[in-house]
Amino acid sequence: QITTVSGNEFLLQSDIDFLILDWFHAIKNAIDRLAKERSCTSRNLECKLRKSSSIELLNSLDTESKEPKPEHRKSLIFRLNYSASDTNDRNRVKSRLKKFISRRPSLKTLQEKGLIKDQIFGSHLHLVCEHEKSTVPQFVRLCIKAVEKRGLDVDGIYRVSGNLATIQKLRFVVNQEEKLNLDDSQWEDIHVVTGALKMFFRELPEPLFPYCFFEQFVEAIKIQDNATRVKSIRSLVKKLPRPNYDTMKILFEHLKKIAAKESVNLMSTQSLGIVFGPTLLRPEKETGNMAVHMLYQNQIVELMLSEYSKIFGSEED
């Protein structure tokens, strides 16, 4: 993030979700404001043109015949014809676009014909697992294995951003179902692997914590008594769909190993909560309580790491 001497700000790259959201909303608000201003300007201009045309037409009328003077008739007819022609062209384009869209084959049809492959990134978790005949995506397992092999001691693991272009290249390789070897030299930077793993979870159409569970987890984290809070979170986790539960369990077990090396990698449970909170659970519709939600998101992840054995352990535990 760069701030110039004149006060202009630029965000070149970030992997911090709440920062990305802030920039996204700021840009969106600016676009909406510009659109409204242009709309108002356009309406004002149109009104002025109409008023001007009306005055011009009235002034051009002969006081006796009340008809346009000959020198103004041609320009008046040209303006009317041009306006009608312009409208017809727009309607013709709209009609063609509607026909094109209505004839467009569905995603399912394209997938059945083999023109579009099932994607790993951006697909629903249960569909990825069904395709792989597993309950945990293979890509998640490979990333965790690579990080535990050569990233546990790395300073700022999961917090430091990898090169975005290389992360996108890795994403492309995974989506093309090419054989993936994370020990290859092109994925040598472990921050690329962690960045791709976070991107996988961020691009799930429905987060790892399903939308219908979001408010329930938020209510559970608000409970004051820690034992009751943990018990409530455990109960909700047990109700999750099998792919969500199994993937969550293996991910949090991995993150617990990261936190255990805090003295070396400087990643505490709190730091991991900040990184993974907005990535793993979020409301279906953003409201004005974004800052409050973010606090709860972080706390939920932090608690689940601190109380991992109680939440994911067997009943006997």
Side-chain angles (χ1 to χ4, degrees):
Q1 185 171 343
I2 299 171
T3 303
T4 64
V5 176
S6 59
N8 294 320
E9 290 188 55
F10 300 89
L11 182 68
L12 303 182
Q13 181 177 330
S14 177
D15 207 30
I16 303 173
D17 294 283
F18 69 83
L19 185 62
I20 294 169
L21 280 172
D22 284 346
W23 275 81
F24 170 77
H25 288 301
I27 293 169
K28 185 176 183 298
N29 289 338
I31 292 170
D32 291 342
R33 189 173 64 253
L34 284 171
K36 287 178 183 177
E37 289 174 0
R38 287 180 180 176
S39 178
C40 291
T41 304
S42 178
R43 283 199 298 270
N44 291 337
L45 182 60
E46 188 177 349
C47 289
K48 286 179 181 177
L49 286 172
R50 285 179 179 174
K51 187 176 180 181
S52 175
S53 298
S54 300
I55 292 170
E56 183 185 347
L57 180 59
L58 287 171
N59 289 339
S60 68
L61 291 176
D62 187 275
T63 52
E64 292 180 2
S65 63
K66 299 299 180 186
E67 291 182 357
K69 291 180 180 180
E71 61 267 24
H72 292 288
R73 284 176 184 165
K74 287 184 179 180
S75 63
L76 180 61
I77 291 169
F78 173 77
R79 284 202 303 273
L80 292 173
N81 286 342
Y82 178 79
S83 177
S85 174
D86 191 42
T87 303
N88 288 337
D89 286 342
R90 285 201 300 269
N91 289 338
R92 205 176 297 117
V93 171
K94 285 181 181 178
S95 177
R96 288 177 179 174
L97 281 172
K98 285 179 180 178
K99 287 180 181 178
F100 172 76
I101 292 170
S102 65
R103 291 198 300 265
R104 185 181 58 182
S106 67
L107 178 62
K108 185 177 180 182
T109 303
L110 292 172
Q111 288 174 336
E112 288 174 351
K113 290 182 177 179
L115 297 175
I116 293 181
K117 294 181 179 180
D118 293 328
Q119 304 284 289
I120 302 299
F121 281 76
S123 293
H124 285 275
L125 182 66
H126 71 277
L127 293 178
V128 175
C129 291
E130 284 175 13
H131 176 71
E132 297 179 350
K133 295 179 174 57
S134 173
T135 56
V136 178
Q138 181 65 14
F139 177 67
V140 173
R141 292 184 184 276
L142 288 173
C143 287
I144 288 174
K145 183 179 178 182
V147 175
E148 291 184 358
K149 180 180 178 181
R150 51 193 173 93
L152 291 178
D153 297 334
V154 174
D155 184 5
I157 191 72
Y158 283 112
R159 187 185 68 241
V160 177
S161 301
N163 181 275
L164 187 57
T166 312
I167 291 172
Q168 291 289 5
K169 183 180 178 182
L170 176 55
R171 179 182 185 273
F172 177 80
V173 170
V174 174
N175 274 341
Q176 292 303 305
E177 296 187 43
E178 296 180 21
K179 189 174 180 181
L180 182 63
N181 176 19
L182 290 178
D183 289 329
D184 192 292
S185 59
Q186 61 184 325
W187 322 124
E188 182 180 3
D189 181 5
I190 198 63
H191 296 304
V192 166
V193 177
T194 57
L197 182 61
K198 287 187 292 182
M199 182 181 284
F200 170 81
F201 284 112
R202 200 162 47 238
E203 291 191 1
L204 288 174
E206 186 169 27
L208 188 59
F209 290 72
Y211 288 131
C212 59
F213 282 85
F214 180 80
E215 291 298 336
Q216 297 177 65
F217 273 99
V218 169
E219 290 304 314
I221 201 66
K222 291 179 183 179
I223 298 171
Q224 296 298 314
D225 180 67
N226 187 63
T228 309
R229 183 166 61 233
V230 171
K231 186 176 180 181
S232 181
I233 294 283
R234 174 189 169 90
S235 176
L236 288 171
V237 167
K238 295 293 182 184
K239 292 177 184 176
L240 293 172
R242 184 66 184 276
N244 297 70
Y245 176 84
D246 287 355
T247 303
M248 191 180 295
K249 184 176 181 180
I250 195 173
L251 176 65
F252 275 83
E253 183 182 13
H254 165 64
L255 295 179
K256 189 170 168 56
K257 293 177 183 177
I258 299 287
K261 292 271 192 172
E262 178 189 355
S263 60
V264 182
N265 59 38
L266 305 180
M267 291 300 289
S268 63
T269 55
Q270 185 179 15
S271 300
L272 291 168
I274 292 170
V275 172
F276 279 93
T279 300
L280 300 181
L281 70 158
R282 57 185 181 272
E284 187 167 8
K285 293 182 180 178
E286 294 292 353
T287 64
N289 299 323
M290 274 183 59
V292 177
H293 279 160
M294 194 169 294
L295 177 64
Y296 291 138
Q297 290 162 337
N298 301 349
Q299 288 178 349
I300 290 166
V301 171
E302 186 179 348
L303 177 75
M304 290 177 66
L305 286 172
S306 302
E307 304 288 354
Y308 175 85
S309 58
K310 292 180 181 177
I311 293 171
F312 290 98
S314 61
E315 295 292 339
E316 291 74 18
D317 296 339

